[in-house]
Amino acid sequence: MSTHKNNTLGELLLAKGLITAMQLEEARATARHGSTLQRALIQAGFISEEDLVNFIAEHMDVPRLELGNFDIHEELIALIPEGLARKYLCIPVLKIEDSLTCAMADVFDLDALDEIAAVTGMTIEPAVATEAEIRTVLDKHYGVKGDFGEVIEEFEARNWGSMEEVSADEVNRLRGLVEEAPIIRMVDKILDEAVLQRASDVHLAPQEDRFVIRFRIDGFLHEKDSLAMKFHPAVISRVKILANLDISERRRPQDGRFQIKVQDKPVDVRVSCVPTIYGEKIVMRLLDLGTVLLPLNDIGIPDDVMPDYRRLLGQPNGILLVAGPTGSGKTTTLYSSLHEINSPDKNVITLEDPVEYRLKGITQIQVNPSVDLTFANGLRSILRQDPDIILVGEIRDLDTAEMAVQASLTGHLVLSTLHTNDAPSAVTRLTDMGIEPYLIASALIGVLAQRLIRLKCRHCDAKGCERCLQSGYAGRTGIYELMLPDEDIRQLVLRKASSEDIRQAALASGMRTLHDDGMGKAEAGLTSPEEVLRVIKEG
C-alpha cells in the first residue's frame, strides 16, 4: 500500500508538470536503495520541500500543519518516545479521546503509523509538515541532553584530575567510560542534530563553570545546549577516540577525522582539538558527502553574469580564479562549474584538501603532505596524466601558483581559488606571491569574487521565528562580481598597477560589484540591505 501511494504521488506530480518522467524514474531508483520517493525528489533538487508538502496536502487529502503556529504541550510530546519521534520525524500535535494527530515528514510510511499506534495505543491521524519544522520542534522539546540519567550518575562519582597531568589509570578509566553506551549515545546525538540542522561546524567549548555546545548554521554560531563540566572529559575523549587522537595528550593541539552516517548519508567529520585554560576545546567541521550538488544556475550567479562565466568555462586554456575569504562558498562554485562542463570526452582531474564532494567521471586527488603530495607536487604529476581541465583546490604559495600558470599556458584550463576580498585584488595577490606580471597577463582569463549572504526566512519574512532560530534568515545564496581582463586591465597588470587602479578599469568595462549584486538581491526581496552590508564589511 505504501508503494502504491508513493507511485500515485509520483504520477500526480508528473501529471501536474512539477517533475519530468526522467526525474521521477531517477528518484524512484534512489528510493529503491533505502530512501523514500519524497526525500529522493527533494535531495535531487527536482522539487522544493515546501512545494512538495503543499502539494501532498492539496492533492492527497492530508492536512498541512505549519508547526510554528502550534504551542505543543509537554504532555502531548511525552506520548511518543524521543527515539521513535526522531526515527520517523513525527510530532504529536492534537489528542481527541483515542485519536492522536501527528505531524509527519512522510505521511505514507505505514510502518511508522503502525509502530506509533502500537506504542501510544491510539488511532493515528497523519498530517504533513516539513522535516525542518519537525526537527525544530524536536530540538525545542528534547534538546541535546535528552535522557542521560545514567551518564549523570556515572559522572557524579568521578574525579577526573588535572587537565595537564593524566595518569595511566585515569586514561584507562576514561577510555572504558567513553566506550559505554550512554556517552556514545550523547556524542552521536550531538552529531545527528548538527547534521539535521544543516550545521557546518560543531563547537564543544569548556568554560569556567559549564561545557557549551554550539552549532554554526548559515555562518552564525548558535548555542544549542550547555552541560555540566563533569561531562567534558568523556565527551571530548569520545570524539578524540573517533578521530584516532591520543586521549592522554591534553597539552598539544591535535587534528583528525572520521565518518558518520545520518539518515543513511555519509558525513565526513574533521576534528581540531586545542588546549585552553579550562580544558580541551574541539571544533568539528561537517562535510555532508551525500549532499546533492547544486546546479550552476542555482548558486546565485546573476543572469547577466552567467553567459560570460559560462564562456570562460568553455575556454581551452587559461586560469579562472574564484576569490573570496574562508567560508564564502568558493569550493561549491567550482564543483558546480565542473559538474556542468564535465563530459566523457574531457579528462578532468582535481587536487583538493579536502575532497568535499564526490564527482562522477572526474579523477579526484586528496592532498597529503605527510607523503609529500602537496598542491605543487601533485600538479606536476597531474600534468603527466594528459588532463584537459585541472582544479587546484587553492593557490597558497609561489610553487603552486607557478605550476598553475605553467599548466594554463600549455593548453589546460585551470580552475582554482584565491583568498582575496574582491576580484581585482586577485591580480596583486599573484604578483605579491612572486608571479611575473607578463605571465599573469597571459594566463588569467577571469576572476569571480563571491560572498555568501543569508536569505530571508520564507515563513516570517525576517521577523524571526522558531524555524529560523529567531534570526529572520534561513539558507544562503551567493553574491558575485566577475572581472574579465581586457586589454586595458592587462596593461595595468604589466605595469604592476594597484588593485584600486585595476578595479576602476574593471568598473569602466562594465563589471558589477559584489555590492551591486547584493543590493539587487535585496531589492528582489531575497535578503535585506543590512545583511548585504554586513557580509561585504566583514569580508
Side-chain angles (χ1 to χ4, degrees), residues 248-307:
S248 67
E249 177 55 72
R250 300 182 183 179
R251 296 171 294 181
R252 294 186 179 91
Q254 297 186 69
D255 297 304
R257 67 196 312 161
F258 61 93
Q259 277 197 9
I260 59 173
K261 275 194 173 183
V262 178
Q263 293 186 345
D264 294 324
K265 294 190 298 183
V267 177
D268 193 47
V269 184
R270 288 184 284 162
V271 178
S272 171
C273 181
V274 298
T276 77
I277 60 173
Y278 297 118
E280 291 175 293
K281 175 184 178 182
I282 277 181
V283 174
M284 293 180 281
R285 169 64 55 88
L286 308 179
L287 300 174
D288 185 348
L289 302 178
T291 297
V292 176
L293 197 62
L294 288 174
L296 194 58
N297 282 332
D298 294 345
I299 63 175
I301 297 178
D303 291 341
D304 58 343
V305 172
M306 187 66 81

Side-chain angles (χ1 to χ4, degrees), residues 88-368:
Y88 292 123
L89 285 178
C90 64
I91 288 289
V93 294
L94 180 65
K95 178 179 178 294
I96 300 177
E97 297 182 346
D98 291 332
S99 176
L100 184 65
T101 299
C102 290
M104 304 179 67
D106 183 1
V107 295
F108 306 129
D109 189 339
L110 297 186
D111 291 337
L113 294 172
D114 290 344
E115 189 170 350
I116 296 167
V119 168
T120 60
M122 301 183 199
T123 301
I124 305 302
E125 298 292 338
V128 66
T130 67
E131 288 191 14
E133 292 170 340
I134 293 171
R135 289 187 186 119
T136 296
V137 177
L138 284 169
D139 294 337
K140 175 183 176 182
H141 289 278
Y142 292 113
V144 173
K145 299 189 195 80
D147 183 16
F148 289 110
E150 56 187 305
V151 182
I152 294 173
E153 291 176 8
E154 181 75 33
F155 272 78
E156 290 288 356
R158 301 272 182 162
N159 178 8
W160 299 109
S162 164
M163 286 297 166
E164 283 80 23
E165 302 300 328
V166 189
S167 69
D169 286 344
E170 181 180 352
V171 169
N172 290 333
R173 291 199 310 272
L174 188 56
R175 188 181 296 276
L177 178 63
V178 301
E179 293 295 349
E180 293 174 6
I183 199 66
I184 290 174
R185 290 202 309 273
M186 178 178 280
V187 173
D188 287 351
K189 187 171 183 180
I190 291 170
L191 289 169
D192 286 351
E193 289 200 10
V195 173
L196 295 175
Q197 291 189 33
R198 302 178 299 106
S200 61
D201 302 86
V202 177
H203 290 232
L204 306 176
Q207 297 184 2
E208 185 175 10
D209 58 352
R210 60 187 184 136
F211 178 37
V212 179
I213 301 165
R214 296 193 294 174
F215 295 168
R216 187 176 295 279
I217 301 171
D218 292 338
F220 278 74
L221 279 172
H222 299 269
E223 184 171 321
K224 303 307 296 182
D225 236 317
S226 63
L227 307 174
M229 273 297 290
K230 59 194 172 190
F231 286 90
H232 173 261
V235 172
I236 293 296
S237 295
R238 173 61 186 166
V239 174
K240 290 171 73 173
I241 286 174
L242 288 171
N244 199 28
L245 303 180
D246 183 358
I247 67 169
S248 67
E249 177 55 72
R250 300 182 183 179
R251 296 171 294 181
R252 294 186 179 91
Q254 297 186 69
D255 297 304
R257 67 196 312 161
F258 61 93
Q259 277 197 9
I260 59 173
K261 275 194 173 183
V262 178
Q263 293 186 345
D264 294 324
K265 294 190 298 183
V267 177
D268 193 47
V269 184
R270 288 184 284 162
V271 178
S272 171
C273 181
V274 298
T276 77
I277 60 173
Y278 297 118
E280 291 175 293
K281 175 184 178 182
I282 277 181
V283 174
M284 293 180 281
R285 169 64 55 88
L286 308 179
L287 300 174
D288 185 348
L289 302 178
T291 297
V292 176
L293 197 62
L294 288 174
L296 194 58
N297 282 332
D298 294 345
I299 63 175
I301 297 178
D303 291 341
D304 58 343
V305 172
M306 187 66 81
D308 283 328
Y309 185 67
R310 282 201 164 104
R311 178 178 56 78
L312 296 177
L313 292 175
Q315 295 298 302
N317 57 273
I319 291 184
L320 173 57
L321 295 174
V322 178
T326 300
S328 59
K330 303 186 294 295
T331 300
T332 298
T333 296
L334 285 182
Y335 278 12
S336 296
S337 302
L338 278 187
H339 183 68
E340 174 151 317
I341 63 179
N342 183 37
S343 63
D345 64 335
K346 291 186 175 70
N347 181 17
V348 183
I349 304 180
T350 75
L351 190 62
E352 308 169 57
D353 185 21
V355 174
E356 296 188 17
Y357 296 87
R358 270 59 170 177
L359 302 175
K360 291 182 180 179
I362 290 177
T363 302
Q364 296 177 268
I365 300 172
Q366 169 74 52
V367 168
N368 187 358

